[in-house]
Amino acid sequence: MTATAVAGQVHAFIRSRVGGRDIGADTDIFEEGLVDSLFAMELITFVETTFGLSVLTEDLDRDNFCSVHAITRFVLGKNGAAARRDPG
Amino acid sequence: MTGLGDVVARLPPYAAAADLDGRMPEEAIAVLREARLLAPMVAKQHGGPGLDHAGFGEVCEAVGAVCTSLRSLITVQSMVAAAVARWGRPEQRARWLPALAGGGVLAGFCLTEAEAGSDAAAITSSLVRDGGGWRLTGRKRWVTFGRSAGLLLVLARAEQGGTAVLCEAGAGVRRLPREGSLGLRGAMLADLEFDVELPDSAVLGRPGFGLATVAETALSLGRLSVAWGSAGMVRGCLEACAAHVRDRRQFGAALAEHQLVRRLIARMAVSARAARALCREASAARDQGLADAGSLVLVAKYFAARAAAEAGADAVQLHGADGTAAGAYAARMFRDGKIMQLIEGSDQMGELAISARVLGLPAHRRPA
């Protein structure tokens, strides 16, 4: 999946949770006060289900989830790592 | 699930005794332990039955219809097991999940404090670096099975932010029983005071992410369990009331012949089906890994808790004086039903969270 495709899905998900407000790719969703614990776990579930990966304890880093860009980078990094472990 | 009905059929005598005596008989816990229903979602690889959320819900519904206090033990045991299964390191999972599934250890979940409950971020219990480990200090309130739990999942504030730790009860953990509560009288409620040293291996998940991940994982499963348990209470009240109004005669006719009685029965029957439908929807969403499962759990819990409180009150009304007697099922459901509107998030917190999702707004804003 391309970065553009991942970012598009992440962006659409976050927008659906903030009443359709426009969120920039680098908008810090924590600083904007958009993330409560319910949303945090929903975001993790969304990332796992949509992109077929597991968010592990060591992945829990604000820098992995703070914006559309950050999440996209995280997803591509995880899936790239998985692809390297399991070619084909 | 095979045998669930047989297991639950053994519970009613213990349920009334637990409420009257203000403590859960060990025999009642043993029934669940033998049936391996204390933490029924623990995976088979860790010695549990490995039920999905739908199967877990059926257990909570069936036990909840008989005894809310005993259902709440399944709730807290499953909450802690879920947090360990989801965020624990392999050695934490290997150590605790078989014990939680088999009932070798009972679990407690310690979040609420004098100034923190719904506002979990306001916790003041402190976790500070102490040599190679940590020192946990603070007082937690209203811990379900806090009088007997051996493994305590505690949310505390570390330098990095909210952090979850697994603390074994023992020296440095003082239990202060809470007796005579309105409901959940058999749930061994206690406050717990901590002044205890913990090893690094006690930290569950990542420091600073305890509230958003570990606590939310546990609480969301807790809400689902309360929702299903409440749905069971409505069904239980309906069955008890239907039997009573068929048998009891006044003015030369069964109560069931009186229209004002029929109205209450009809409302209870609709609530029972609606609560069950919402619980099934929430469980299915969790089992499918849907991102909005947490919201659906909130909706199910909100509706079912209110329905349980209403059904308990109507059950007392329909049973008349008999419904108020010591040991009466209706009286217990009335008192426990009120607790369902408070525990794992009050009605009002549910309203804020549900409307927030509809409106795309945060549920809470802190004053600047």
Side-chain angles (χ1 to χ4, degrees):
Chain A
M1 192 177 272
T2 64
T4 309
V6 171
Q9 292 199 47
V10 171
H11 192 239
F13 175 76
I14 294 176
R15 275 194 62 155
S16 76
R17 290 298 188 268
V18 296
R21 263 177 293 166
D22 199 25
I23 300 291
D26 287 312
T27 300
D28 189 318
I29 59 175
F30 293 96
E31 279 182 9
E32 292 291 313
L34 301 173
V35 183
D36 55 20
S37 353
L38 177 64
F39 181 30
M41 278 307 296
E42 285 188 339
L43 182 58
I44 289 171
T45 306
F46 162 78
V47 166
E48 290 185 322
T49 307
T50 307
F51 304 111
L53 53 85
S54 297
V55 176
L56 307 174
T57 297
E58 54 264 34
D59 300 323
L60 294 177
D61 190 325
R62 194 181 180 287
D63 292 347
N64 285 336
F65 292 98
C66 63
S67 67
V68 172
H69 259 158
I71 298 166
T72 302
R73 199 166 50 236
F74 169 71
V75 167
L76 293 174
K78 283 284 270 193
N79 282 344
R84 282 193 296 278
R85 276 198 309 275
D86 183 21
Chain B
M1 183 185 166
T2 314
L4 179 59
D6 296 334
V7 173
V8 170
R10 295 169 62 192
L11 299 177
Y14 302 125
D19 188 60
L20 285 170
D21 301 342
R23 58 180 301 110
M24 183 57 65
E26 184 52 41
E27 295 86 343
I29 298 172
V31 170
L32 296 183
R33 186 183 284 125
E34 285 164 24
R36 304 191 72 72
L37 292 179
L38 281 169
M41 291 190 71
V42 171
K44 288 182 176 167
Q45 70 181 100
H46 293 295
L51 296 188
D52 60 8
H53 290 84
F56 171 69
E58 296 296 343
V59 172
C60 294
E61 199 272 355
V63 176
V66 176
C67 183
T68 305
S69 290
L70 203 50
R71 192 272 302 149
S72 72
L73 176 59
I74 297 173
T75 302
V76 67
Q77 193 89 350
S78 298
M79 287 167 70
V80 173
V84 172
R86 181 66 179 85
W87 300 111
R89 291 185 295 277
E91 57 274 20
Q92 288 173 318
R93 293 201 293 267
R95 178 172 183 200
W96 292 118
L97 292 178
L100 291 166
V105 66
L106 297 186
F109 181 76
C110 308
L111 174 62
T112 301
E113 298 179 0
E115 303 295 334
S118 301
D119 186 3
I123 52 171
T124 58
S125 288
S126 132
L127 192 66
V128 293
R129 269 290 178 198
D130 186 16
W134 301 84
R135 182 168 208 88
L136 170 66
T137 54
R139 180 168 175 165
K140 296 294 184 176
R141 306 171 84 207
W142 296 109
V143 178
T144 300
F145 282 84
R147 278 183 248 167
S148 54
L151 177 67
L152 304 159
L153 173 52
V154 186
L155 275 300
R157 181 156 302 285
E159 190 187 354
Q160 299 91 332
T163 300
V165 288
L166 291 166
C167 174
E168 290 179 74
V173 181
R174 192 163 152 242
R175 303 182 200 261
L176 306 145
R178 279 200 180 256
E179 289 166 352
S181 54
L182 174 70
L184 281 184
R185 288 190 174 183
M188 310 289 277
L189 302 172
D191 288 5
L192 295 174
E193 232 169 50
F194 295 88
D195 186 356
V196 62
E197 291 172 14
L198 297 170
D200 252 345
S201 59
V203 174
L204 181 62
R206 191 156 173 175
F209 285 83
L211 292 171
T213 58
V214 179
E216 184 58 26
T217 297
L219 285 168
S220 190
L221 189 67
R223 278 180 216 118
L224 184 68
S225 179
V226 171
W228 276 102
S230 298
M233 295 168 76
V234 182
R235 176 180 60 79
C237 285
L238 177 63
E239 290 171 1
C241 290
H244 179 72
V245 303
R246 276 193 216 104
D247 289 348
R248 167 106 168 136
R249 296 180 68 81
Q250 290 289 279
F251 300 102
L255 290 188
E257 298 299 323
H258 298 289
Q259 288 189 355
L260 296 178
V261 168
R262 295 278 283 269
R263 178 183 184 217
L264 294 182
I265 296 290
R267 291 171 63 98
M268 215 180 283
V270 172
S271 288
R273 293 189 73 91
R276 185 174 172 80
L278 289 172
C279 286
R280 289 178 67 130
E281 179 185 53
S283 275
R286 271 278 177 251
D287 284 330
Q288 291 161 31
L290 301 187
D292 64 351
S295 298
L296 296 174
V297 170
L298 274 170
V299 169
K301 192 274 176 182
Y302 175 76
F303 181 87
R306 288 166 58 87
E310 187 178 348
D314 287 348
V316 172
Q317 199 68 25
L318 288 170
H319 281 78
D322 287 348
T324 69
Y329 176 80
R332 181 156 51 84
M333 291 294 132
F334 173 55
R335 290 182 285 102
D336 285 346
K338 187 67 212 172
I339 307 297
M340 298 306 99
Q341 291 184 280
L342 300 167
I343 201 164
E344 313 304 6
S346 65
D347 281 0
Q348 288 69 29
M349 295 305 297
E351 286 162 355
L352 285 175
I354 291 164
S355 62
R357 187 44 45 83
V358 172
L359 299 169
L361 294 170
H364 319 285
R365 276 202 192 284
R366 284 179 197 285

